[in-house]
Amino acid sequence: MAAWSNKKPNCVVTWGTLAVLGESTRSFPTSGDVKVRRFTYWVPDEDMRSTRARTLAVQMDNTFRNLFDTRFEDGVRKTKAIVAITGLLLEGDKTMNDLAELNDDLYRFLGEGG
Amino acid sequence: MSAMRAIGAALAALTCTSAGLGQGQVELMDEGGTSVRLLEWTVEDGAAVLRWPDGTEVAFGERENAFWTAPFPTGRLPDWALDADELAVRIDGVDARMPADGLYATTFPTADGVRWALADAELSAPLLPPAPLTLRVPESMAEPGAESEATTGPSAADERPRPLDALTPAERLFGSLSLLDRSDLHASLDEPPDTRGLDLLEAPNTINTPLARMFESGPTLRFLQDVEWRFQTFERDGDSGLGLAFDYSKTKPLSIKDLADGRGVEGHALDLRAEGHLAFDNDINPSDFTSYSLGFEYFRSTGGAVPALTKEEKRRAQQLVQEATEYETWDEVARSGEWREFKDLARRVLSTQVYWELGLNAALEGDQDMTERNFVLGAHAALDVKAWNDRSNAALLNLFDYPAAILRLLTGYDETLLPRGNTIPTVLIGLDTVSPDGDTPRAEAGDSSNYERVRLELAYKAPIGIVDGKEYALTALYRKYFELDASDDVKGAGLDEYQYFTLGLETNDGLFATYSNGQLPFDDDGGEFYEIGWKFGF
């Protein structure tokens, strides 16, 4: 796994997005290994967890593109991005760093160039 | 040094002693701490050279009498290099990288000198055989023509470590990792041995690593990785017991597209879900309900954000977040000028998101051994409203969150009484046709016919504070089932309506305590009960 680093725009924007949405309120240095099951959307009811995961996945996409100057990677469309993020959000042991890595594959963040 | 720590020290096993400047011996230990080989080292041209019995020489480097080793307890020494972020190693021709921010240097005073080791903070590296460290092969280090993961943009490439053979000897040894500052090394000589991370009892990866490997071994076991388990002890009406609860949720969106007016998205999805509550003594199972279901949904989401910022303002937003990453605690972040300015920009963008779905579902539900069971076909609607803008009216009207907001104020988590819009409960209402089978409570009351029922569910979760570094969250779950046009037998037995409420407190390390009150469809009698336990996953 690639390192959790504030030199990586995908890590910075993922952290900032989850923090401003109130899903995880930890400082950046302590956030890389936080598991998604600790986020606010993760409730102890599997019926509504998938609903909440989809809500958050859509909102993360909204936030990336409206609050930050973020675009999709070549060949990535909204469908693929939201499907992938939703899937990861339902795997409780995935970490914020895992999510940032996934986002790096889906989005082109400011500072990556290209 | 405790026995466990001694073992941990041995696991950091490739350590060196210095008998004086310019020469010494490297002691290679096995996991039991037994010395298995001594290698001679000498300093030649500014680099330390290790000589293996077969004549192989491996050069590392040298800094006065301090000597560094890579965290590999067995086998041949790999080539390795440190840059700002990662430790890169080349083992048997395979390039591997691991995060460097979890690495630390430690010293072990001995009778004949000081041993030095570079280890991973949770000992996961020393416990792993070398090759499986491979996580990502950067293009710059991959063999020509070999597959490597895609990377994005030239600046990302700029951040990658250079190939090993492109680094100077000093870079290969020390890179720019600030942790390996020379003053730190010398300061530690006069201090007690630094054994951070070497206590196996404090290293969850010691156990999790082999478990993770086992569960990665096949699709069936991988499935279990997605299940959340809760090991718990409970008390109900004076009886106490042990139990294991599980729940699983997997969704497969089939399609997602923008709405025609561009104000949101819509799509279809398949959901697979399971939950259960297993008590070792099923006679006192306080929540005797297990369910496996498959659903198909149409969903739509509108709102959530508006395109209110210019390109320059978006760049400013990312710059502010970048600066906020430098703070060590959330309290510092929240009080910083950078975060406040960023929040002001965010409030111009974030709005209330309305997500709803309509679905069909099929389920098998029963008690824990499925001697009582229902086959269920139904339809449901779910609503999830999130007021992401914390100054919006919808957030302020989130009455459910005021108790948690008071707790956040009391714990100092928030500076003001501020209900959160992202904690508005999710609501689900369903209409089901139920076909009971087996010895259900309804059958015992004299009615085993099919019936229709309405179910209502609410789920809520909110943070309430950070105490002694531990984050606490409040959770609540409410379920209500009521039968439509129930027979007199069912009504007379009080089985036409069930409700169940759970209020929980959980921490970021998985501990939880819950209070529950009510009755579920397969409970013979309801009541209140308490549970304490912890959540875990593989």
Side-chain angles (χ1 to χ4, degrees), chain B residues 48 126 137 145 150 167 206 243 247 287 327 329 337 340 346 404 407 433 464 468 478 490 521 524 534:
Chain B
V137 181
L167 299 176
T206 304
D247 71 60
S287 182
Y327 295 101
T329 67
R340 290 174 192 269
L407 290 171
T433 295
I464 55 172
D468 293 334
Y478 175 76
V490 171
D524 291 329
W534 71 90

Side-chain angles (χ1 to χ4, degrees), chain B residues 208-283:
Chain B
N208 287 344
T209 297
L211 281 176
R213 286 166 179 273
M214 183 176 78
F215 282 90
E216 285 168 359
S217 61
T220 304
L221 293 177
R222 265 201 299 273
F223 158 81
L224 292 175
Q225 285 184 298
D226 297 335
V227 180
E228 178 173 90
W229 302 90
R230 299 189 299 278
F231 185 72
Q232 54 204 15
T233 176
F234 56 83
E235 181 178 320
R236 177 183 188 174
D237 300 334
D239 291 324
S240 60
L242 292 173
L244 188 67
F246 65 91
D247 71 60
Y248 171 85
S249 183
K250 199 79 174 175
T251 188
K252 175 68 177 172
L254 303 174
S255 70
I256 298 175
K257 63 179 183 180
D258 286 314
L259 292 172
D261 59 8
R263 295 189 305 116
V265 296
E266 63 179 353
H268 300 85
L270 271 178
D271 283 347
L272 183 64
R273 297 156 177 160
E275 67 165 325
H277 203 281
L278 313 174
F280 294 125
D281 178 358
N282 61 3
D283 290 336

Side-chain angles (χ1 to χ4, degrees), chain A residues 1-2, chain B residues 95-99 131-137 149:
Chain A
M1 180 186 304
Chain B
D95 291 315
R97 302 164 72 185
M98 60 185 292
L133 275 174
T134 300
L135 294 168
R136 182 169 184 161
V137 181
E149 290 192 14

Side-chain angles (χ1 to χ4, degrees), chain B residues 167-188:
Chain B
L167 299 176
T168 67
E171 287 173 325
R172 289 168 69 111
L173 259 184
F174 301 107
S176 56
L177 188 68
S178 59
L179 189 60
L180 305 185
D181 183 83
R182 180 175 177 169
S183 59
D184 291 338
L185 302 181
H186 286 270
S188 65

